[in-house]
Amino acid sequence: MDELDRAIVNSLQGDFPICDHPFAEVAGRLGIAEQELISRIEALLQNGVLSRFGPMYHAERMGGRLSLVAMKIPDSNFEHVAEIINAMPEVAHNYARDHVLNMWFVLATETADEHAAALKKIERDTGYPVYDMPKIKEYFVGLRLTV
Amino acid sequence: MKPENIMPATSLDETDRQIVVATQSGLPLVPQPYHAIAQQLGITAAEVMVGMRNMIDTGVIRRIGVIPNHYALGYKANGMSVWDVPDDQIDVLGKTIGDLEFVSHCYHRPRHLPDWPYNFFAMVHGHNRAEVEEYVRKIARLIGEADRGHQILYSTRILKKTGLRIGG
């Protein structure tokens, strides 16, 4: 990454414009050509510095239901349970963590009923209880990385 | 306490929904991305732009821009710091801690006693675990006497990672 890449990553984490020629507008601010900006973003996506470029959606505001769910799974059964959980399309991310509650995943559904049904299905299919932790309040979600 | 996410949500109209489906994995990298989406959906560019501006106003779109990959940028350690704090102080603490630049997600979540006494979550990012721990000490100093116990949970393995998607 050179200075220009850093300037693009640092200055474009939030307000890409909605207008007829948004890349031209941002490029103008950075003092470069429109096509240069497009090519740079393309390259940063390709080499993995950026995971995405575009709108970041707020799942619950779209009417969906999202929660963080934890489970306590014995080591001997961990891989088997992980397979069952990962196979569910409602599960977006799943992490092993170093705690007694050792499996943590995000459960996303379009409705509250589907959410309850998915939790019941998990308990039934795995035989272990779920610790459902929907957010009560969100204080901040975002990234403010300076590179 | 009622979780925030079962409050009535903005319902998307059919055009909004089509825009979400067309853009949720990213904007096209062409000089006129909104026109490209419009063409794909068979609507006008003005409709796409108005729809997206409305979704920003209603909070359906948090923001538009680049989403950096922490890991590729050297932020290789992330710790989920979890705290037991008094419920009546949590909103004040949430504003303070959520403002810290090394915190990417900050939430009030329910306890599950006796196994899980923690009601406040702050995801902390650093270049290594020592840096994460330094940041967590900084949070502990800010929380002060309201800190009735905390832990850092590190992820040891990614078991699944797919983006959130709505169906077409």
Side-chain angles (χ1 to χ4, degrees):
Chain A
M1 283 217 298
D2 63 12
E3 275 311 304
L4 179 55
D5 287 331
R6 271 190 270 277
I8 291 169
V9 174
N10 289 336
S11 68
L12 216 54
Q13 290 182 34
D15 47 11
F16 188 73
I18 299 178
C19 61
D20 287 341
H21 292 90
F23 289 103
E25 189 180 317
V26 174
R29 265 188 258 152
L30 292 166
I32 57 174
E34 180 185 51
Q35 192 51 49
E36 170 82 3
L37 175 63
I38 292 175
S39 307
R40 291 284 181 143
I41 294 175
E42 216 158 33
L44 290 168
L45 283 166
Q46 247 157 36
N47 64 27
V49 169
L50 300 179
S51 48
R52 223 161 59 72
F53 167 72
M56 187 182 180
Y57 285 101
H58 190 313
E60 296 97 325
R61 292 277 164 77
M62 294 194 286
R65 173 94 202 240
L66 200 65
S67 76
L68 180 65
V69 180
M71 295 181 79
K72 193 195 303 184
I73 311 296
D75 287 347
S76 58
N77 225 347
F78 194 85
E79 300 304 322
H80 174 63
V81 171
E83 266 176 42
I84 295 174
I85 303 292
N86 293 349
M88 296 178 64
E90 300 91 335
V91 172
H93 310 264
N94 188 7
Y95 289 89
R97 293 193 181 274
D98 56 350
H99 189 268
V100 181
L101 293 176
N102 53 358
M103 192 181 291
W104 291 78
F105 51 90
V106 172
L107 190 68
T109 56
E110 293 212 17
T111 68
D113 286 350
E114 287 168 11
H115 185 88
L119 289 176
K120 274 213 189 81
K121 176 177 158 55
I122 290 167
E123 293 194 326
R124 195 180 55 232
D125 292 357
T126 67
Y128 299 101
V130 293
Y131 295 70
D132 185 27
M133 303 186 196
K135 71 182 177 195
I136 294 166
K137 191 150 186 184
E138 173 183 304
Y139 302 107
F140 184 81
V141 172
L143 286 164
R144 289 157 293 198
L145 297 182
T146 307
V147 299
Chain B
M1 243 164 305
K2 202 174 168 186
E4 187 178 58
N5 59 7
I6 60 174
M7 280 164 44
T10 315
S11 51
L12 299 180
D13 68 22
E14 193 41 44
T15 306
D16 289 344
R17 201 184 162 84
Q18 285 184 322
I19 294 171
V20 173
V21 172
T23 60
Q24 61 190 346
S25 55
L27 281 180
L29 292 168
V30 295
Q32 296 195 286
Y34 305 111
H35 290 67
I37 293 159
Q39 194 165 21
Q40 187 192 326
L41 298 178
I43 58 179
T44 67
E47 284 175 294
V48 172
M49 291 192 274
V50 167
M52 290 186 75
R53 283 196 199 104
N54 282 341
M55 287 192 277
I56 286 180
D57 290 344
T58 54
V60 170
I61 295 177
R62 292 178 187 276
R63 61 188 153 272
I64 307 176
V66 299
I67 319 268
N69 173 347
H70 298 78
Y71 203 84
L73 292 171
Y75 290 80
K76 298 194 191 288
N78 68 82
M80 185 170 76
S81 74
V82 295
W83 308 75
D84 175 14
V85 300
D87 286 336
D88 61 358
Q89 294 180 44
I90 199 164
D91 285 346
V92 173
L93 293 169
K95 284 198 183 72
T96 306
I97 308 305
D99 275 347
L100 298 169
E101 76 280 359
F102 50 80
V103 170
S104 69
H105 296 73
C106 187
Y107 297 109
H108 179 187
R109 296 187 183 278
R111 296 185 181 87
H112 287 265
L113 296 171
D115 295 354
W116 187 258
Y118 307 110
N119 58 341
F120 184 63
F121 288 57
M123 186 64 77
V124 173
H125 298 269
H127 291 85
N128 49 55
R129 287 196 180 188
E131 191 178 327
V132 169
E133 277 151 29
E134 177 55 38
Y135 290 151
V136 170
R137 281 194 291 277
K138 193 167 174 182
I139 296 175
R141 285 195 295 275
L142 288 167
I143 294 183
E145 287 184 5
D147 176 14
R148 299 186 298 203
H150 69 266
Q151 278 194 305
I152 308 173
L153 276 65
Y154 290 104
S155 62
T156 51
R157 198 149 51 102
I158 297 173
L159 304 170
K160 180 177 186 181
K161 188 160 189 169
T162 51
L164 297 172
R165 292 282 181 270
I166 71 167

